[in-house]
């Protein structure tokens, strides 16, 4: 009996997605891949992101050779019909390419298999097709059922990262010495908050792995050029050269280089920022992980081996393991656990539109050096590490009261590693506190003093981080106090922000500060 075809999405590109020993399709199952132009029309994506995804998909198709049917179509529906034939392709039972759908899982009689998609839109589309069997999700350490089991233990308590992270460590025996965490502590964040070294514009570490583009990259770039010229699609940001892995071999090379040469210094400068060194010691592995080119288990296990061999300190390894086995897993499961309504959460009632300079990544229109620098990094690469995302970009949006749903969409579109499941909890919950505390215990924002401490971005700036008013007032400092004032009642009742709110009473210049913030409006700070 012939094996059923298996549909491979563009973020399911690693070998574990086709491994029958790990719940994948039959070893000889034909593979279908669909490049749907409608996805690029739906949003104004970063050009480098579109290039990376299409390059990765086409590279994977080249690796699979005759086993794959690769279709370039307008929609997924058209692609399935062209790949399987109009009479054998699964038919939709409800909804459209992104609508609501029947959620029943089809059994062995199905004509097509697919691994659980990573977005609700794709999942609903797949589950609305008659004759499709949805296989378990791949690329994560914890299954949906296992997470549900852990969440049920909380008996209604908040689902906090720390408890989840410890549970994952114990369950997968990660950085454990018997029943205790390696080194005697679960959390080494305190050791991973050093500011950058002064009087240096870059860390003294070997640079990250760099890919070499090939004819597939050239083909993708020509296609993107043509589509833009024809007015078919529109992008934001700059593209080229490619900075992130597009194949399994490249992803493994990037992982090996990080662990061998960059992991040892990762921990202590994890939260630091340098204008001329945006990568610092970060791994740059989020993009290949989210494309499915790497499995999280191999990443954390390789890092732990480096610690056990004395090749990397515990604080660096624990910080890296926390990012992948803790935060990444946590975000993935909260995306599904919180449900679709989470997307529309707006506990702080922020409704301001995103300014044009932000939407267009117009770094030159911005005076504040930290924001201009980070916005330029996004424009040029489609990437910054987590602190610029949270404390520069996200903090600006939070302080100025931008619509959190629009902010989420911006992060999704403008980051090469951004997917719906990634950005929805990260932005709505962590960055914009729009869920009112379902995910975190307080809003994450600060005045200019934090940015000054953790970076070299303030010295050349026209503003001074200590100034609340006047021509040199730092927009992050005025924005911070204005934010506390605007949400004073809510934040005064939160034990983690109550002390900061009481500080408002000591500001003799508060009226002038608030007036300055109001005058700024949508003008670039």
């Amino acid at each position: 009996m012939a094996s059923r075809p298996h549909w491979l999405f563009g973020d399911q590109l690693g070998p574990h997605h086709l491994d029958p020993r790990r719940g994948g399709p039959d070893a000889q199952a034909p593979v279908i891949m669909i490049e749907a132009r409608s996805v690029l029309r739906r949003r104004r994506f970063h050009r480098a992101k579109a290039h990376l995804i299409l390059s990765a998909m086409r590279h994977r198709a080249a690796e699979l050779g005759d086993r794959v049917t690769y279709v370039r179509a307008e929609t997924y529906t058209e692609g399935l019909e062209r790949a399987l034939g109009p009479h054998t392709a699964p038919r939709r039972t409800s909804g459209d390419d992104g609508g609501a759908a029947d959620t029943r899982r089809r059994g062995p009689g199905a004509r097509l298999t697919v691994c659980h998609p990573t977005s609700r839109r794709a999942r609903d589309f797949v589950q609305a097709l008659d004759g499709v069997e949805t296989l378990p999700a791949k690329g994560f350490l914890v299954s949906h059922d296992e997470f549900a089991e852990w969440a049920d233990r909380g008996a209604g308590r908040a689902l906090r990262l720390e408890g989840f992270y410890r549970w994952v460590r114990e369950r997968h025996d990660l950085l454990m010495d018997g029943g205790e965490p390696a080194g005697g502590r679960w959390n080494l964040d305190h050791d991973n908050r050093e500011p950058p070294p002064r009087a240096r514009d870059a860390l003294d570490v070997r640079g990250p792995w760099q890919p070499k583009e090939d004819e597939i990259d050239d083909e993708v770039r020509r296609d993107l050029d043509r589509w833009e010229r024809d007015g078919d699609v529109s992008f934001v940001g700059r593209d080229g050269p490619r900075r992130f892995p597009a194949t399994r071999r490249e992803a493994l090379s990037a992982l090996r280089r990080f662990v061998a040469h960059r992991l040892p210094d990762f921990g202590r400068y994890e939260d630091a920022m340098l204008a001329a060194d945006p990568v610092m010691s970060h791994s740059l592995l989020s993009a290949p992980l989210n494309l499915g080119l790497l499995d999280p288990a191999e990443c954390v296990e390789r890092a732990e081996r480096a610690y056990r061999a004395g090749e990397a300190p515990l604080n660096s390894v624990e910080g890296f393991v926390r990012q992948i086995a803790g935060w990444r897993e946590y975000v993935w499961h909260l995306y599904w656990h919180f449900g679709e309504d989470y997307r529309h959460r707006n506990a702080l009632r922020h409704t301001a539109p995103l300014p044009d300079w932000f939407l267009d990544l117009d770094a030159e229109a911005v005076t504040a050096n930290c924001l201009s620098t980070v916005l330029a990094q996004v424009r040029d690469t489609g990437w910054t590490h987590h602190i610029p995302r949270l404390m520069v970009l996200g903090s600006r949006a939070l302080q100025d009261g931008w619509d959190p749903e629009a902010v989420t969409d911006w992060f999704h579109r403008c980051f090469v590693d951004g997917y719906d499941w990634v950005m929805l909890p990260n932005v709505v919950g962590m960055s914009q506190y729009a869920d009112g505390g379902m995910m975190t215990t307080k809003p994450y924002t600060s005045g200019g003093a934090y940015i000054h401490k953790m970076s070299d971005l303030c010295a050349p700036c026209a503003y001074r981080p200590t100034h609340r008013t006047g021509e040199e007032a730092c927009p992050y400092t005025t924005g911070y106090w204005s934010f506390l004032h605007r949400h004073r009642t809510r934040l005064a009742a939160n034990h983690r922000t109550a002390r900061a709110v009481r500080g408002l009473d000591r500001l003799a210049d508060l009226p002038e500060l608030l007036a300055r913030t109001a005058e700024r409006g949508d003008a670039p700070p």
Side-chain angles (χ1 to χ4, degrees):
M1 182 177 178
S3 298
R4 295 172 293 171
H6 182 79
W7 181 11
L8 203 63
F9 275 93
D11 55 359
Q12 300 175 344
L13 303 180
H16 46 289
H17 290 281
L18 293 178
D19 190 345
R21 298 167 300 179
R22 303 172 67 178
D26 297 340
Q28 303 304 317
V31 174
I32 296 167
M33 297 180 70
I34 302 171
E35 192 178 294
R37 189 85 58 85
S38 60
V39 175
L40 294 180
R41 287 202 186 99
R42 193 178 299 144
R43 287 184 169 97
R44 192 181 176 208
F45 286 105
H46 199 292
R47 164 97 182 210
K49 178 175 186 170
H51 180 267
L52 175 64
I53 293 173
L54 294 184
S55 176
M57 289 180 67
R58 295 182 189 182
H59 275 97
R60 184 61 170 140
E63 292 169 352
L64 290 170
D66 293 340
R67 185 182 176 187
V68 69
T69 299
Y70 193 92
V71 180
R72 301 180 190 183
E74 177 59 29
T75 65
Y76 287 135
T77 299
E78 177 191 330
L80 288 172
E81 289 180 351
R82 286 170 53 186
L84 298 172
H87 301 296
T88 57
R91 296 178 180 273
R92 293 189 64 78
T93 57
S94 64
D96 55 22
D97 273 30
D102 176 8
T103 58
R104 291 173 297 173
R105 176 177 293 180
R106 275 70 181 182
R111 298 187 297 275
L112 181 71
T113 63
V114 62
C115 288
H116 191 296
T118 62
S119 74
R120 281 197 188 81
R121 187 184 186 108
R123 183 206 60 181
D124 289 349
F125 173 72
V126 164
Q127 292 185 333
L129 295 170
D130 183 37
V132 176
E133 180 182 3
T134 303
L135 305 178
K138 305 288 189 297
F140 298 93
L141 296 170
V142 177
S143 71
H144 290 304
D145 290 342
E146 289 170 333
F147 180 83
E149 174 191 335
W150 173 78
D152 288 345
R153 293 179 185 177
R157 295 196 302 271
L159 305 176
R160 298 303 184 203
L161 169 67
E162 194 63 31
F164 174 74
Y165 171 61
R166 295 184 183 191
W167 176 76
V168 173
R169 289 257 310 260
E170 291 175 325
R171 191 176 188 90
H172 289 268
D173 196 27
L174 286 171
L175 287 179
M176 299 295 295
D177 291 334
E180 297 297 320
R185 288 189 292 157
W186 292 101
N187 188 330
L188 277 73
D189 274 356
H190 180 75
D191 301 328
N192 292 349
R193 294 173 178 166
E194 287 190 31
R198 298 302 176 186
R200 285 170 54 186
D201 59 5
L203 295 185
D204 186 20
V205 296
R206 289 182 63 177
W209 172 88
Q210 293 285 333
K212 293 181 180 179
E213 291 195 358
D214 58 16
E215 64 278 2
I216 293 179
D217 289 296
D218 294 339
E219 177 196 47
V220 170
R221 194 164 281 116
R222 287 194 300 270
D223 285 344
L224 297 178
D225 287 341
R226 186 177 71 257
W227 299 341
E228 281 197 287
R229 282 196 308 269
D230 294 345
D232 210 20
V233 294
S234 177
F235 298 111
V236 67
R238 299 173 181 173
D239 166 34
R242 177 164 58 85
R243 291 173 171 82
F244 302 91
T247 69
R248 168 70 173 170
R249 178 174 292 182
E250 289 183 342
L252 288 174
S253 295
L255 173 61
R256 285 192 295 266
R257 185 177 181 91
F258 169 70
V259 172
H261 301 293
R262 300 171 58 76
L263 176 60
D265 283 312
F266 166 70
R268 58 178 176 163
Y269 297 129
E270 184 179 353
D271 289 358
M273 297 175 282
L274 286 171
D277 187 7
V279 175
M280 305 291 281
S281 284
H282 289 266
S283 71
L284 298 184
L285 296 177
S286 56
L289 271 166
N290 293 350
L291 285 168
L293 295 171
L294 292 173
D295 188 276
E298 66 188 335
C299 296
V300 295
E301 288 166 4
R302 192 180 289 261
E304 178 167 6
R305 287 199 299 270
Y307 163 66
R308 301 293 182 187
E311 297 166 355
L314 180 58
N315 67 302
S316 288
V317 174
E318 191 276 324
F320 180 66
V321 169
R322 177 180 290 268
Q323 283 191 338
I324 294 178
W327 190 255
R328 184 175 185 271
E329 294 285 323
Y330 180 65
V331 163
W332 162 253
H333 285 291
L334 290 188
Y335 173 79
W336 298 104
H337 181 79
F338 283 153
E340 178 61 16
D341 287 346
Y342 189 78
R343 185 182 309 278
H344 309 296
R345 293 271 177 175
N346 193 353
L348 300 182
R349 300 182 180 179
H350 286 176
T351 58
L354 274 59
D356 288 343
W357 54 266
F358 196 77
L359 290 168
D360 294 336
L361 306 181
D362 188 359
E364 279 71 30
V366 180
T367 303
N369 188 55
C370 61
L371 182 55
S372 178
T373 300
V374 172
L375 206 59
Q377 291 168 5
V378 178
R379 177 197 65 202
D380 296 342
T381 69
W383 184 91
T384 63
H385 73 75
H386 65 285
I387 293 300
R389 297 189 198 201
L390 180 65
M391 303 306 294
V392 177
L393 299 170
S395 187
R396 177 79 275 127
L398 180 64
Q399 291 179 3
D400 282 3
W402 297 351
D403 180 353
E405 196 165 343
V407 177
T408 303
D409 179 70
W410 182 89
F411 273 94
H412 180 166
R413 294 184 296 103
C414 292
F415 279 82
V416 292
D417 55 6
Y419 294 84
D420 197 46
W421 71 267
V422 175
M423 292 308 181
L424 193 58
N426 266 302
V427 178
V428 171
M430 181 70 174
S431 171
Q432 299 305 294
Y433 199 67
D435 65 0
M438 294 171 65
M439 185 175 177
T440 62
T441 57
K442 68 169 185 175
Y444 280 85
T445 187
S446 73
Y450 174 84
I451 297 173
H452 180 54
K453 174 186 175 183
M454 297 304 296
S455 77
D456 64 353
L457 297 168
C458 294
C461 187
Y463 305 119
R464 303 270 57 85
T466 55
H467 290 204
R468 294 190 296 267
T469 59
E471 292 303 311
E472 293 187 340
C474 171
Y476 283 85
T477 301
T478 59
Y480 172 72
W481 291 110
S482 177
F483 172 79
L484 292 181
H485 173 78
R486 189 163 69 248
H487 298 291
R488 183 170 192 150
T489 301
R490 172 188 288 271
L491 298 178
N494 184 326
H495 74 281
R496 296 202 65 192
T497 54
R499 182 177 179 183
V501 170
R502 288 195 295 270
L504 286 165
D505 297 329
R506 298 192 296 271
L507 301 186
D509 56 0
L510 182 60
E512 183 182 352
L513 180 154
L514 296 175
R516 181 173 180 82
T517 304
E519 289 171 3
R520 185 168 74 229
D522 285 342

